[in-house]
Structures are given as structure tokens and as C-alpha cells.
Amino acid sequence: GPHPPPKARHFAPDAANTTDLGHVWLDGLLLHYRLTGEERHVAEAIVLRDYGGPEVLRSESIEVGKPGPGELRIRQTAVGVNFHDVYVRSGLYRTLSLPGTPGIEAAGVVEEVGPGVSGFAAGDRIAYVTARYGTYASERLLPADLAIHLQAGIDDKLAATVLLKGLTAEMLVRQGYRIELGKLVLGH
């Protein structure tokens, strides 16, 4: 059968190295992010170049530019890992163009706001789900309309791992089969 999904852990700042702003572990791979200049940031991402088992996931440096109109630059603090990601990695789902960075849900902190974006500021905590992939990275650009503000009592790890499941459940009970009074529902 398919391999169990890898476990993601949250970022922890590295106070000993001011150019290495933080890191995250994803399935045994350490992702770093660092500032390399005012206009560009170098981040680490899990890049999938071939389909296969967990061994095909490789950490690579990527450049993250300034956010364009309608975008946010996000420093990710937690990444959700779903069976969908396992199916993409294995090649069962061929929905990610290779080479590509898998992952469809995450939580993080807004680092920079692009032109024309309102309602978000640097330092805001957010979570999101995207069909554009790319969450297996320490930083990324994200369309602002995908970001959801996180309230103070919601943990980043929780938000990054239940948002897609919650949206799926909502879709199933409102669009797939409308639950009505007197109907029996089994949740597992």
C-alpha cells in the first residue's frame, strides 16, 4: 500500500545565526530560510523531480521574489501533509508539473504585502489551502485572496492540518449529501 504521509514540524528561529531566520523539519529534511538582500529571499523547498517513494523528496534552495499585485510573501510555520500529497508524490495523481513543490495547505506569517492588498499586514498569522501546490517550502508567494486570518487561540500546526479536512467535510454535508433533521450521520 501507499507509504504513510510524512510528518511536518513547525519553524523554530535560530538565534545563534542572524542570517538563518528559521527552519522546519519535513519527513527528516531540514528546510531553512534566509534573507539574502532587500529584493530577494532564498528559501528551502521540497522539490519533486520524479515520482516514487519518500526518497524522491529533495530539499533545494529556491528564490522567492517580492510579492506582486494581490500577493503576500509568507514565511510558513506549519505545513499540512495529506494523503493527496502522497498520491502526487507516488505519481498516482499527476496534477503537479515536475519539477514542482508539493503540498496544498499550510499556516504562516505574512512577511510582506504586495501592491493593492488590503486587510493584511506584515506579522499577521494566516492559513490557506491552494490548488496551486507549493506548501512544502519555508517561504512562498501566495495570492492574498487565499489567506485566512488566524485568531490568537488557534495553533499554527492545528490550522495547517485541519483546514482542508474541514472544507472537505463542509462540502460533503452541504453539496455531496444534504444532511436534514432526522438523518443519521457517521463521522470517523
Side-chain angles (χ1 to χ4, degrees), residues 101-136:
T101 298
I104 56 176
E105 72 178 329
V109 176
V110 174
E111 292 291 307
E112 189 175 358
V113 176
V117 174
S118 61
F120 292 97
D124 287 351
R125 294 175 52 246
I126 61 103
Y128 67 95
V129 173
T130 179
R132 299 176 185 175
Y133 295 101
T135 66
Y136 286 21

Side-chain angles (χ1 to χ4, degrees), residues 72-123:
L72 304 169
R73 184 170 52 82
I74 305 298
R75 176 178 45 87
Q76 302 196 129
T77 55
V79 175
V81 179
N82 298 285
F83 279 109
H84 176 91
D85 304 328
V86 174
Y87 299 150
V88 168
R89 179 199 23 93
S90 72
L92 181 63
Y93 293 173
R94 303 260 172 151
T95 52
L96 173 65
S97 298
L98 300 185
T101 298
I104 56 176
E105 72 178 329
V109 176
V110 174
E111 292 291 307
E112 189 175 358
V113 176
V117 174
S118 61
F120 292 97

